[in-house]
Amino acid sequence: MEPLFGAVLGLILAVASPAHNNCTCATNKWAVCAQDSPGNCTCSLAGSDHQVDCSTLTSKCFLMKAEMTPLKEKRLWRPPHGLSDSDGIYNPDCEDSGVFKARQCNQSSSCWCVNTAGVRRTEKGDRSLSCGELVRTRWIYIEVTHKRRSSAFHVPDVAKALTHLFESRYKLHPKYISAVKYDPPRIQIRLDQNEKPRWDVDIADAAYYFEKDVNNDSIFDSNSELMVSINGDALAIEKLWIYYIDAKPPEFCMRQLAAGISAVVIVVVLTAGIGIAVLLILRWLRTGRYKKVESKEMGEIKAPSLE
């Protein structure tokens, strides 16, 4: 009886094991997946119970939250950089839909307002800070440089390759890729999205996936290495800059601007004061020299009358 039971158990494990191994999220390596029924794989975000749609990109807010959650399985935890600074990775508050909440706070009760890309757009304050609406990031400017090569790529080929990359790898509709400019070795990409339909990928999510790929920290579970080929030649990206432009201007405190203006005014006043002082000194020296010469000449004129 025991050998029969062992054989049956081994068969069950053999059948279940491949299914479990195949239960992964292709677009999110931080997702925790489980085979809840034959042919049905459910994936949730690490550190929460939010289910992940592995057929498309995960929202940037959920991704940042997952990065702040140590994984206990499969891989070691690597602490992210800039934990408490809004210019780096922080543990965000997300809506159930995956979008950022307009106000973000850290453990020290310091709060600030963000845009739909999760980028800080105000000075930091306390928990009494009110942010109101979540301001949409209307377009994103991406600039990269590639390694030096003997001959530059053709401009149309670069635009075609990068448009295909964002469409195929990041599921971004080509209509949101408004421009690709190439001035070797610099490549400029502009993503425009005034409004985001529910079924479309957000440009902020696509830019975040791209940033992670370039920094060799891909979010994809498989095929993680970024490979961009232009007519058979690899496009080796060296540096990356991303800028976010909102539908409304940022609301940074005027104190910094006032301090900057005051500094400029002080410099101008000091420069003007020094200039006036120099002019007065030169004038005084010139006047004194003139009087001295005039006195000498008068003495020479009066000398004959004394004889």
Side-chain angles (χ1 to χ4, degrees), residues 4 38 76 87 132 137 148 150 173 292:
L4 179 60
L76 297 176
D87 295 331
T137 296
R148 296 285 180 177
S150 57
H173 197 285
K292 184 177 180 180

Side-chain angles (χ1 to χ4, degrees), residues 267-281:
V267 171
V268 171
V269 170
L270 288 176
T271 303
I274 293 173
I276 293 173
V278 170
L279 290 175
L280 290 175
I281 292 172

Side-chain angles (χ1 to χ4, degrees), residues 143-155 158 162 181-188 210 214 228 230 233-241:
E143 181 175 321
V144 299
T145 58
H146 63 71
K147 292 183 179 180
R148 296 285 180 177
R149 40 184 289 119
S150 57
S151 60
F153 297 106
H154 293 295
V155 176
V158 173
L162 289 175
K181 303 292 184 181
Y182 180 45
D183 181 19
R186 182 178 62 178
I187 304 173
Q188 299 167 294
F210 180 65
V214 172
V228 183
I230 301 177
D233 293 333
L235 176 65
I237 297 176
E238 283 189 316
K239 297 180 181 179
L240 167 72
W241 298 269

Side-chain angles (χ1 to χ4, degrees), residues 248-263:
K248 294 182 178 181
E251 302 171 2
F252 289 104
C253 182
M254 294 297 293
R255 285 177 298 180
Q256 291 184 349
L257 180 60
I261 294 175
S262 299

Side-chain angles (χ1 to χ4, degrees), residues 95-217:
E95 302 286 358
D96 291 338
S97 61
V99 301
F100 288 90
K101 290 187 177 180
R103 192 186 74 165
Q104 299 291 328
C105 300
N106 58 20
Q107 295 179 352
S108 64
S109 298
S110 177
C111 301
W112 59 92
C113 303
V114 300
N115 54 23
T116 53
V119 178
R120 181 164 62 91
R121 51 178 279 110
T122 66
E123 296 291 347
K124 291 183 178 180
D126 55 25
R127 290 192 175 272
S128 64
L129 178 67
S130 177
C131 294
E133 66 173 329
L134 179 68
V135 178
R136 174 150 193 84
T137 296
R138 186 171 54 86
W139 60 276
I140 296 177
Y141 170 84
I142 302 174
E143 181 175 321
V144 299
T145 58
H146 63 71
K147 292 183 179 180
R148 296 285 180 177
R149 40 184 289 119
S150 57
S151 60
F153 297 106
H154 293 295
V155 176
D157 295 336
V158 173
K160 181 179 179 181
L162 289 175
T163 300
H164 175 73
L165 172 71
F166 275 86
E167 182 181 7
S168 60
R169 187 173 178 87
Y170 308 121
K171 318 299 181 184
L172 187 66
H173 197 285
K175 66 182 179 181
Y176 299 127
I177 308 172
S178 61
V180 178
K181 303 292 184 181
Y182 180 45
D183 181 19
R186 182 178 62 178
I187 304 173
Q188 299 167 294
I189 307 168
R190 174 165 169 164
L191 307 179
D192 275 281
Q193 193 177 53
N194 291 325
E195 296 181 359
K196 190 195 83 68
R198 184 178 56 84
W199 52 84
D200 280 342
V201 168
D202 195 298
I203 57 174
D205 299 339
Y208 193 64
Y209 269 78
F210 180 65
E211 179 183 4
K212 287 291 187 178
D213 276 342
V214 172
N215 293 331
N216 295 319
D217 188 20

